[in-house]
């Protein structure tokens, strides 16, 4: 469980997590990389063209081929490689095939127009022209030509991308380990023995009327605490267990709210087939009650939905009515819980989640999409 307590407006938080800054740096890195590779391959192309007797016209062909290299690289790096990392072999082979067809058709177009128009590089253009645009895809001579012209040029940037991904994965693992250690240290510093809490709750419950709302609320509180103590230290828990925890929390809120509040919670799909980091969704629900329901005395509402598709794509939405503006209300700084949840999503689901938060004068909406992994049942599983 990752929970870095860093004020969201601090300089440290900006340095730790600034997606806009990361995006600008990434664009600059890519531009510089292609400038260097363009010069390197351009020099090779000049030597190759001169050996075949080509002139300045052949540089146009080189420029077209280099654009194909760039397009093929981004297709392979951002479509094929992610599926290779996730061991989705069918998707990996499919995307690789599509990229090869793209390379072949682009080279065919270049050689059937530029090379044919200027009458240059006839030996290199011959396999494409003889096979035709469709036959080129399955022609062995075209494959050899594609290797010499395009595919080998992709190997260097793809190797750089592959090495970079490995290093980023290792860095994220180290960051997760450091965060877990820090969380454990913070927890030990402020820890209250769970047995003391549960024994105290049982003692209070034993002297309360068993048919009252207070007794029911106390039992729900005990279940929530037991789950947070026993499951929060795990990296992953069954989604069905997490959904029950959210339902228990919502039921507690229903007990303490008045008739003026309409609260709905629903979940659907194969929840038991997938797993999720524990307590990564609760912050969004807490905020809906804290800043929406509890901040007003008027009629209000909260709608929560957790839907899972058969392929593990999870859709989680929390919508609530906002409290009307009140100039007398003191604005609190807050926001650490939401910031920490965003950090966990960024670390645990890189390129596998989408978080959309929308706010109007009347409503607040959170839409989270996660790509979940299959649940592998351990030998022993605690149920709260």
């Amino acid at each position: 469980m990752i929970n870095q307590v860093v004020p969201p407006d601090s300089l440290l938080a900006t340095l730790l997590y600034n997606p806009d800054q990361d995006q600008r740096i990434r664009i600059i890195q890519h531009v510089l990389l292609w400038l260097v590779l363009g010069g390197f391959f351009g020099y090779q192309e000049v030597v190759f063209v001169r050996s075949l007797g080509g002139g300045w016209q052949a540089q146009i062909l080189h420029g077209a081929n280099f654009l194909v290299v760039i397009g093929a690289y981004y297709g392979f790096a951002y479509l094929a490689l992610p599926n290779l990392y996730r061991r989705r072999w069918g998707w990996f082979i499919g995307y690789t095939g599509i990229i090869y067809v793209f390379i072949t058709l682009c080279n065919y177009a270049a050689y059937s127009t530029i090379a044919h128009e200027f009458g240059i590089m006839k030996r290199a253009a011959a396999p494409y022209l003889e096979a035709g645009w469709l036959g080129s895809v399955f022609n062995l001579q075209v494959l050899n030509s594609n290797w010499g012209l395009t595919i080998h040029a992709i190997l260097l940037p793809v190797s750089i991308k592959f090495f970079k991904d490995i290093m980023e994965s290792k860095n994220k693992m180290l960051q997760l380990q450091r965060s877990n250690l820090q969380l454990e240290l913070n927890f030990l510093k402020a820890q209250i023995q769970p047995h003391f809490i549960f024994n105290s709750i049982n003692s209070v419950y034993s002297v309360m009327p068993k048919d009252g709302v207070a007794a029911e609320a106390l039992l729900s509180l005990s279940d929530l605490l037991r789950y947070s103590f026993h499951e929060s230290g795990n990296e992953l828990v069954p989604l069905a267990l997490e959904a029950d925890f959210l339902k228990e929390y919502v039921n507690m809120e229903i007990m303490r709210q008045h008739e003026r509040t309409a609260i709905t919670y629903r979940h659907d799909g194969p929840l038991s087939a997938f797993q999720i980091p524990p307590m990564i969704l609760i912050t969004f629900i807490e905020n809906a009650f804290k800043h929406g329901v509890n901040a007003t005395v008027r009629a209000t509402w909260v709608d929560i939905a957790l839907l899972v598709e058969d392929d593990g794509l999870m859709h989680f939405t929390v919508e609530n009515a906002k409290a009307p503006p009140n100039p007398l209300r003191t604005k609190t700084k807050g926001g650490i819980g939401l910031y920490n949840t965003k950090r966990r999503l960024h670390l645990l689901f890189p390129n596998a989640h989408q978080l959309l938060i929308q706010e109007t004068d009347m409503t607040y909406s959170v839409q989270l999409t996660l790509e979940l992994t299959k649940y592998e049942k351990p030998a022993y599983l605690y149920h709260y």
Side-chain angles (χ1 to χ4, degrees):
M1 178 180 178
I2 308 305
N3 213 356
Q4 294 182 345
V5 183
V6 181
D9 55 302
S10 68
L11 177 60
L12 179 57
T14 304
L15 293 175
L16 282 176
Y17 182 56
N18 190 338
D20 294 333
Q21 185 183 50
D22 292 344
Q23 189 68 17
R24 289 194 297 268
I25 294 176
R26 187 177 296 111
I27 292 174
I28 294 173
Q29 289 174 339
H30 281 226
V31 171
L32 293 176
L33 175 65
W34 288 119
L35 288 176
V36 173
L37 292 180
F40 174 71
F41 290 123
Y43 173 77
Q44 281 190 326
E45 192 74 15
V46 169
V47 175
F48 177 65
V49 168
R50 285 179 180 176
S51 67
L52 297 178
W56 62 269
Q57 299 92 339
Q59 300 307 313
I60 300 176
L61 194 61
H62 162 67
N65 181 253
F66 192 65
L67 292 178
V68 177
V69 170
I70 295 176
Y73 162 76
Y74 284 110
F76 191 82
Y78 293 97
L79 293 177
L81 274 184
N83 287 285
L84 176 65
Y85 300 149
R86 297 173 186 173
R87 298 182 180 179
R88 297 177 178 176
W89 306 116
W91 286 99
F92 172 73
I93 295 173
Y95 278 124
T96 303
I98 291 173
I99 293 166
Y100 178 76
V101 172
F102 166 78
I103 291 172
T104 302
L105 295 182
C106 287
N107 284 339
Y108 174 84
Y111 278 99
S112 63
T113 54
I114 300 174
H116 183 71
E117 179 70 23
F118 292 114
I120 59 174
M121 308 277 293
K122 294 182 179 180
R123 188 191 309 171
Y128 295 94
L129 299 177
E130 292 174 1
W133 69 272
L134 182 59
S136 297
V137 177
F138 308 99
N139 189 280
L140 184 59
Q141 286 184 308
V142 171
L143 174 61
N144 294 331
S145 182
N146 280 339
W147 172 261
L149 291 169
T150 308
I151 299 177
H152 87 283
I154 303 174
L155 293 180
L156 179 59
V158 166
S159 299
I160 296 174
K161 167 70 174 172
F162 187 74
F163 178 76
K164 177 175 173 288
D165 289 343
I166 292 176
M167 296 304 298
E168 285 185 349
S169 177
K170 290 183 177 180
N171 288 336
K172 287 177 182 177
M173 288 299 298
L174 291 174
Q175 190 172 6
L176 286 172
Q177 292 175 1
R178 287 195 298 266
S179 300
N180 284 331
L181 288 174
Q182 185 62 47
L183 179 64
E184 185 177 355
L185 289 174
N186 292 338
F187 177 75
L188 290 174
K189 291 178 181 177
Q191 184 181 25
I192 301 176
Q193 292 297 328
H195 294 295
F196 170 77
I197 295 179
F198 295 139
N199 290 337
S200 299
I201 291 177
N202 290 334
S203 298
V204 174
Y205 180 76
S206 65
V207 298
M208 293 178 64
K210 301 303 184 292
D211 57 348
V213 177
E216 184 180 353
L218 192 62
L219 280 180
S220 296
L221 175 61
S222 177
D223 289 338
L224 293 175
L225 290 174
R226 188 174 288 108
Y227 179 88
S228 63
F229 276 124
H230 288 281
E231 301 294 346
S232 61
N234 296 329
E235 293 184 3
L236 296 168
V237 297
L239 180 58
L241 201 60
E242 184 75 4
D244 289 341
F245 166 73
L246 299 179
K247 182 179 179 180
E248 194 75 35
Y249 179 86
V250 172
N251 287 338
M252 276 200 62
E253 288 290 346
I254 291 176
M255 283 187 282
R256 65 187 292 263
Q257 300 300 333
H258 301 287
E259 294 181 354
R260 63 181 175 82
T261 304
I263 303 174
T264 58
Y265 171 78
R266 61 190 184 279
H267 55 73
D268 193 18
L271 276 67
S272 59
F274 300 96
Q275 53 192 359
I276 191 173
M279 304 185 71
I280 200 169
L281 305 177
I282 187 64
T283 297
F284 301 116
I285 299 179
E286 286 178 329
N287 286 344
F289 287 102
K290 179 180 179 182
H291 302 295
V293 176
N294 299 333
T296 180
V297 295
R298 300 184 181 183
T300 185
W301 55 269
V302 178
D303 183 65
I304 305 164
L306 176 61
L307 307 176
V308 183
E309 299 180 10
D310 293 336
D311 61 354
L313 190 63
M314 187 197 78
H315 305 277
F316 178 69
T317 60
V318 180
E319 299 178 337
N320 62 275
K322 284 180 56 180
N326 185 356
L328 300 179
R329 185 183 296 120
T330 303
K331 293 184 178 180
T332 58
K333 204 169 185 179
I336 291 179
L338 182 59
Y339 171 79
N340 289 337
T341 301
K342 289 181 178 180
R343 282 290 297 155
R344 290 184 69 195
L345 290 170
H346 177 69
L347 293 172
L348 298 174
F349 295 92
N351 304 319
H353 82 280
Q354 183 177 8
L355 176 61
L356 177 63
I357 298 178
Q358 295 178 314
E359 185 175 6
T360 67
D361 293 338
M362 303 295 295
T363 62
Y364 191 88
S365 172
V366 175
Q367 299 178 17
L368 174 63
T369 303
L370 290 181
E371 297 179 17
L372 301 178
T373 57
K374 286 284 187 179
Y375 168 57
E376 298 180 1
K377 187 175 181 180
Y380 172 78
L381 177 66
Y382 175 81
H383 290 280
Y384 75 96

